[in-house]
């Protein structure tokens, strides 16, 4: 009986609650002022060697940055110089005998045709009338009655000029040459050439040579007139 009462008292005794248990947390110790050390500035350190190392490293970094900028500048300058040299090579090519003869044949044919058809142009023609007139002259230049030189001979000169202007375009638009230098030497001639022969170029494209003189057109860009006027010139 006593044993049963003892077990009953043990079972009925409630456990201690968590709230009744007290937990004591010690606060974190604050560092003493003596333990906080201020980081030293190597540029103003009392140690001469430390200051020397700091300033020499700083100077080395500056030299590396300046050297990098100088290398970039030197590369760009050499690249521009090479581009100008390519322009001068084109100028030398343009002054060779074959191209000089081609230019003279072209000039001679256009002068003769302008003299022959000068009466078709008024005293003060509009830009559109002048464009149509020039394309008529260009179409006539590529005909059998276009001049004193036989058409096959003139055609060779004409094709040589087309080839050269396409080469100028490829060199300029791809930045192999300096575009501003190429413009100074060749752009006025290229614009005049296109003004006369855009109708013939369009005719060749419609006949199947779809990329005929395309580099020249790309070189001139917005300076070229639309092909719509070429049809009027042919009529």
């Amino acid at each position: 009986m006593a044993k049963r009462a003892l077990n009953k008292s043990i079972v009925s005794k409630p456990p201690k609650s968590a709230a009744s248990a007290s937990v004591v947390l010690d606060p974190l110790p604050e560092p003493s002022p003596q333990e906080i050390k201020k980081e030293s500035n190597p540029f103003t350190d009392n140690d001469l060697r430390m200051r020397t190392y700091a300033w020499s490293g700083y100077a080395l970094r500056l030299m590396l940055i300046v050297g990098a900028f100088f290398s970039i500048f030197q590369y760009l300058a050499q690249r521009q110089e090479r581009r100008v040299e390519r322009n001068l090579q084109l100028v030398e090519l343009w002054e060779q005998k074959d191209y000089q003869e081609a230019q003279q044949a072209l000039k001679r044919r256009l002068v003769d045709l302008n003299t022959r058809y000068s009466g078709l142009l008024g005293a003060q023609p509009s830009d559109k009338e002048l464009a149509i007139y020039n394309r008529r002259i260009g179409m006539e230049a590529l005909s059998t009655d276009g001049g004193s030189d036989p058409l096959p001979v003139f055609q060779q000169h004409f094709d040589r000029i087309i080839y050269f202007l396409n080469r100028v375009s490829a060199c300029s638009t791809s930045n192999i040459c300096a575009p501003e230098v190429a413009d100074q030497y060749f752009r006025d001639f290229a614009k005049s050439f296109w003004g006369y022969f855009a109708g013939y170029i369009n005719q060749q494209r419609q006949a199947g040579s779809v990329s005929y003189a395309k580099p020249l057109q790309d070189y001139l860009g917005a300076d070229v007139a639309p092909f719509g006027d070429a049809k009027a010139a042919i009529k």
Side-chain angles (χ1 to χ4, degrees), residues 92-105:
E92 292 177 357
L93 181 63
W94 188 236
E95 293 177 351
Q96 289 183 4
K97 180 180 178 181
D98 291 342
Y99 290 103
Q100 288 295 310
E101 291 178 351
Q103 295 175 61
Q104 293 171 4

Side-chain angles (χ1 to χ4, degrees), residues 65-100:
I65 294 173
V66 173
F69 278 108
F70 178 77
S71 297
I72 294 173
F73 173 79
Q74 189 177 28
Y75 167 77
L76 293 177
Q78 291 176 351
R79 182 182 178 187
Q80 179 67 13
E81 184 178 354
R82 289 194 299 267
R83 292 164 69 191
V84 172
E85 288 178 357
R86 294 299 296 269
N87 286 113
L88 296 179
Q89 290 174 3
L90 285 176
V91 173
E92 292 177 357
L93 181 63
W94 188 236
E95 293 177 351
Q96 289 183 4
K97 180 180 178 181
D98 291 342
Y99 290 103
Q100 288 295 310

Side-chain angles (χ1 to χ4, degrees), residues 43-58:
F43 295 97
T44 59
D45 197 275
N46 293 329
D47 191 343
L48 178 61
R49 290 178 300 174
M50 184 65 69
R51 293 202 307 270
T52 303
Y53 293 153
W55 284 108
S56 60
Y58 180 74

